[in-house]
């Protein structure tokens, strides 16, 4: 495994590499990340994983400061997986040019997390564009857990580059909570409660097809769950998984949720 600490290392290592798979991450790797990496190792000749905590996509300074960092453990996981390259850029490697045109979201995309996290996806698209520009992979592996991120990045990146974005399914804990680096910031008891909330939503979604006034029922469930767990649920919405439009049909739909436990913001889709 080659560790690439800057853009020189990167350019040297990727010279002449074909059929490259890329897994962008912010580190603190867990089984969700590992499933993406294994998919890339299966599907491509060489795999590069990046670890970069992109300050620009954090709309909350405290969230950035608290974000878990585990470089040593991450490197040992990547080594064990036999990843070809790990790219650990510094800010100056990523933000090495100024953009002439600012990245802006379309009005219709300012929904779900985009509505509540001002500038977040603009930061994600910016860093993804910069990473793609330097790495030029054939495939990029991304998790369905961050569904809206995957949706926006796919639209932006596949238009601009020849690369293809490969969606990978969400890996969950045995209690059904989606794995997330931020889970390590939660107390054990809270993790159990968060898992219960997700189990509740999985069952709720199964029974939705029998329901008439879907919008009202989903909103009532949001109120019920926030009272039951005494938490802030930022949104709970049923949307079409192809275009993310709000829907009152269960066909091709997903329930999207953002909620806070112990002041930590978690998202999921079911
Ligand atoms: P992050 O390090 O949180 O930026 O995530 C890096 C990539 O891993 C993103 O494409 C995420 O969607 C994906 N990912 C995060 N958690 C999971 C999970 N539980 N299952 C599958 N993919 C995940």
């Amino acid at each position: 495994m080659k560790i690439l600490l800057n853009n020189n290392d990167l350019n040297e290592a990727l010279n002449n590499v074909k059929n490259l798979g890329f897994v962008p991450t912010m580190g603190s790797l867990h089984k969700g990340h590992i499933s993406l990496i294994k998919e890339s190792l299966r599907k491509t000749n060489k795999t590069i994983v990046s670890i970069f905590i992109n300050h620009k996509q954090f709309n909350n300074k405290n969230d950035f400061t608290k974000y878990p960092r585990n470089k040593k453990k991450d490197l040992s996981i990547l080594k064990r997986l036999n990843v070809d390259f790990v790219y650990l850029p510094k800010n100056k490697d990523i933000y090495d040019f100024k953009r002439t045109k600012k990245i802006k979201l379309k009005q219709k995309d300012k929904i779900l997390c985009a509505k509540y996290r001002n500038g977040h996806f603009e930061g994600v698209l910016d860093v993804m564009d910069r990473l793609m520009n330097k790495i030029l992979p054939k495939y990029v592996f991304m998790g369905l857990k961050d569904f809206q991120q995957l949706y926006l990045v796919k639209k932006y990146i596949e238009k601009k580059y020849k690369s293809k974005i490969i969606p990978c399914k969400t890996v969950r804990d045995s209690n059904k909570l989606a794995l997330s680096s931020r889970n390590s910031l939660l107390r054990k008891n809270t993790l159990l409660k968060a898992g219960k909330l997700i189990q509740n939503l999985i069952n709720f979604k199964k029974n939705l097809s029998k329901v008439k006034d879907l919008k009202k029922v989903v909103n009532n469930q949001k109120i019920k769950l926030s009272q039951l767990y005494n938490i802030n649920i930022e949104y709970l919405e049923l949307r079409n998984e192809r275009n993310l439009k709000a829907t009152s049909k269960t066909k091709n739909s997903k329930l999207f949720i953002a909620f806070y436990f112990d002041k930590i913001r978690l998202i999921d889709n079911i």
Side-chain angles (χ1 to χ4, degrees):
M1 181 175 87
K2 273 194 189 146
I3 299 176
L4 317 171
L5 295 173
N6 52 49
N7 292 342
N8 274 346
D9 289 358
L10 181 77
N11 293 336
E12 218 170 272
L14 295 189
N15 191 19
N16 270 327
V17 173
K18 300 210 166 57
N19 193 21
L20 179 65
F22 173 37
V23 184
T25 82
M26 299 205 295
S28 274
L29 302 178
H30 51 68
K31 285 182 186 147
H33 297 114
I34 292 174
S35 73
L36 269 53
I37 294 166
K38 284 192 171 161
E39 189 66 25
S40 176
L41 290 168
R42 258 195 302 272
K43 203 175 159 78
T44 68
N45 290 346
K46 300 270 181 198
T47 291
I48 179 165
V49 176
S50 67
I51 299 179
F52 180 65
I53 305 183
N54 176 36
H55 68 280
K56 274 210 172 178
Q57 72 188 65
F58 284 80
N59 53 315
N60 176 323
K61 199 162 176 248
N62 203 21
D63 185 27
F64 175 71
T65 316
K66 276 198 307 197
Y67 198 84
R69 291 156 169 89
N70 287 300
K71 196 161 100 180
K72 223 172 147 191
K73 188 170 166 218
D74 288 348
L75 288 177
S76 85
I77 292 173
L78 295 171
K79 201 164 173 204
R80 177 170 52 81
L81 288 169
N82 218 356
V83 162
D84 299 279
F85 310 109
V86 191
Y87 178 42
L88 303 171
K90 299 268 184 300
N91 264 321
K92 65 172 191 287
D93 294 298
I94 297 294
Y95 294 102
D96 56 347
F97 67 89
K98 212 172 162 192
R99 214 170 257 298
T100 47
K101 207 170 147 220
K102 233 178 153 185
I103 293 176
K104 280 192 181 155
L105 287 197
K106 294 204 175 102
Q107 201 54 38
K108 71 172 169 57
D109 288 328
K110 291 189 179 167
I111 53 169
L112 303 172
C113 288
K115 184 170 156 190
Y116 292 93
R117 297 187 72 189
N118 209 355
H120 167 62
F121 287 120
E122 289 84 346
V124 169
L125 293 177
D126 188 4
V127 76
M128 277 305 293
D129 186 32
R130 289 168 184 273
L131 287 164
M132 294 297 294
N133 203 316
K134 296 177 202 312
I135 296 174
L136 293 174
K138 186 160 181 195
Y139 299 106
V140 186
F141 297 83
M142 296 184 73
L144 284 160
K145 158 157 183 291
D146 301 283
F147 197 95
Q148 190 178 14
Q149 165 174 281
L150 177 66
Y151 174 84
L152 292 171
V153 168
K154 189 172 167 68
K155 260 203 304 190
Y156 185 86
I157 294 298
E158 288 188 349
K159 212 186 218 175
K160 192 163 171 186
Y161 297 90
K162 280 188 189 146
S163 318
K164 202 167 159 34
I165 309 283
I166 311 288
C168 302
K169 75 172 202 280
T170 302
V171 178
R172 296 179 181 280
D173 223 337
S174 55
N175 69 359
K176 298 289 183 224
L177 182 66
L179 296 183
S180 160
S181 303
R182 285 189 179 88
N183 289 0
S184 66
L185 301 172
L186 295 178
R187 290 171 295 175
K188 212 171 166 192
N189 192 26
T190 317
L191 280 173
L192 291 176
K193 273 198 248 171
K196 283 256 162 38
L197 182 144
I198 296 301
Q199 286 167 39
N200 178 303
L201 279 183
I202 292 171
N203 289 330
F204 174 72
K205 173 87 193 305
K206 272 188 200 144
N207 293 317
L208 267 187
S209 56
K210 299 165 203 147
V211 164
K212 278 215 173 90
D213 191 351
L214 271 174
K215 202 164 177 196
K216 195 167 154 204
V217 171
V218 170
N219 200 42
N220 283 345
Q221 190 69 5
K222 180 182 169 203
I223 296 168
K224 193 179 129 188
L225 288 173
S226 46
Q227 286 172 349
L228 184 64
Y229 293 100
N230 194 19
I231 55 162
N232 172 18
I233 298 184
E234 209 164 56
Y235 60 74
L236 177 68
E237 294 175 22
L238 191 72
R239 289 186 174 265
N240 184 296
E241 61 185 354
R242 299 194 179 148
N243 52 27
L244 287 189
K245 282 189 184 152
T247 180
S248 50
K249 294 190 187 102
T250 48
K251 196 175 171 212
N252 300 324
S253 75
K254 274 186 173 288
L255 262 180
F256 291 87
I257 187 166
F259 56 105
Y260 285 86
F261 265 113
D262 291 350
K263 293 193 182 144
I264 305 300
R265 187 177 184 277
L266 301 175
I267 59 168
D268 206 339
N269 60 88
I270 285 139

